[in-house]
Amino acid sequence: MKIAMWSGPRNLSTAMMYAFAARPDFAVWDEPFYAPYLAATGLSHPMRDSILAQHETDPKEVAARCLDPDTGDKPHFYMKHMPHHMVDGMPIDWAATCVNVHLIRHPARVIASYGAKRETITVDDIGYRQQAALFDRIGGHVIDSSDIRTDPEKALRGLCRAIDLPFEDAMLQWPAGGHPDDGVWAAHWYNAVHQSTGFAGPEGDLPMVQPQHEELFNNALPHYLKLKAVCLPL
């Protein structure tokens, strides 16, 4: 089985990758199209030079591995993807060979978390529009990170059941300190999850949206609600 897990940033996506990496039967890949995305767009992101130097920048090469991954002795493959990385010129046909899952999170939480890492946030940075469009194109299952945080075992059992994959208790915890398959960008983005050994508990009240982010929030919310309406019944 190949799983393509699609999410915007600050969506519990790294913890989900760690959950699948903790299984004995899965190899994982961290944001394969991040370097091609930066190369294609010229955007200035944290650690841009290191990302381009240490990761494959040719989208055709990345797509070829998505189609035919080398998983060693592992029978299954998990890929952490971000919809906003799939700009014009990025191959997407390989996704038809995968079980596609869309991981979502309320935009008020994403904007607050992302804003703590970058001063400027655009609608394209957080990927709600792209994720909704991608779901329309390739379909798949939808799961909300809040459901996972509220009851990780129940949510992951429900996801595994939906994709016809046996649940593994190993998915509920992992070693602190990161994973060997982290992208080089982990040094900037993954500090909190590197200190974790499992999913954090339920989230509290929604954070207030700051005035400078109201337009961004209002743009993202309808796309989130569209996907929320078709979430897996956990």
Side-chain angles (χ1 to χ4, degrees):
M1 175 182 290
K2 291 189 301 183
I3 297 175
M5 180 68 73
W6 299 93
S7 76
R10 320 309 288 174
N11 265 27
L12 205 70
S13 57
T14 304
M16 283 292 281
M17 183 179 75
Y18 285 6
F20 277 86
R23 296 176 58 117
D25 54 351
F26 266 87
V28 301
W29 199 8
D30 190 11
E31 298 184 33
F33 284 95
Y34 192 10
Y37 164 75
L38 291 180
T41 62
L43 290 170
S44 176
H45 274 214
M47 302 186 68
R48 172 187 165 86
D49 291 344
S50 295
I51 294 167
L52 295 177
Q54 298 186 41
H55 291 272
E56 177 60 64
T57 59
D58 184 343
K60 293 181 180 178
E61 291 293 329
V62 172
R65 185 181 169 196
C66 291
L67 277 171
D68 187 22
D70 178 5
T71 61
D73 61 351
K74 306 293 179 69
H76 303 306
F77 193 47
Y78 179 98
M79 295 173 279
K80 172 189 169 190
H81 288 291
M82 293 199 170
H84 65 280
H85 289 170
M86 308 308 291
V87 295
D88 288 347
M90 301 296 169
I92 192 63
D93 291 351
W94 55 267
T97 68
C98 299
V99 173
N100 292 285
V101 184
H102 304 266
L103 177 66
I104 61 173
R105 189 185 188 197
H106 196 284
R109 299 192 192 280
V110 170
I111 291 168
S113 181
Y114 195 84
K117 291 288 185 178
R118 296 188 72 191
E119 292 183 5
T120 303
I121 315 174
T122 71
V123 66
D124 287 336
D125 289 331
I126 54 177
Y128 285 91
R129 174 182 56 79
Q130 298 96 322
Q131 188 167 23
L134 186 68
F135 178 79
D136 287 343
R137 180 173 179 180
I138 67 174
H141 305 279
V142 181
I143 189 167
D144 195 310
S145 64
S146 67
D147 293 331
I148 301 169
R149 290 275 298 267
T150 297
D151 192 335
E153 182 172 350
K154 180 181 179 182
L156 292 180
R157 282 186 180 277
L159 173 60
C160 288
R161 184 169 57 250
I163 64 176
D164 198 23
L165 177 73
F167 174 74
E168 289 271 356
D169 287 334
M171 300 176 75
L172 300 176
Q173 61 182 40
W174 49 81
H179 190 274
D181 290 312
D182 285 345
V184 67
W185 49 85
H188 180 82
W189 293 103
Y190 296 177
N191 55 311
V193 73
H194 281 178
Q195 297 174 39
S196 72
T197 57
F199 291 101
E203 295 183 294
D205 295 338
L206 288 175
M208 291 186 61
V209 177
Q210 299 301 312
Q212 69 269 28
H213 295 147
E214 284 184 0
E215 183 177 355
L216 178 65
F217 172 78
N218 290 334
N219 181 287
L221 185 62
H223 301 299
Y224 167 78
L225 293 175
K226 172 184 176 179
L227 294 174
K228 180 70 172 175
V230 294
C231 262
L232 288 172
L234 303 177

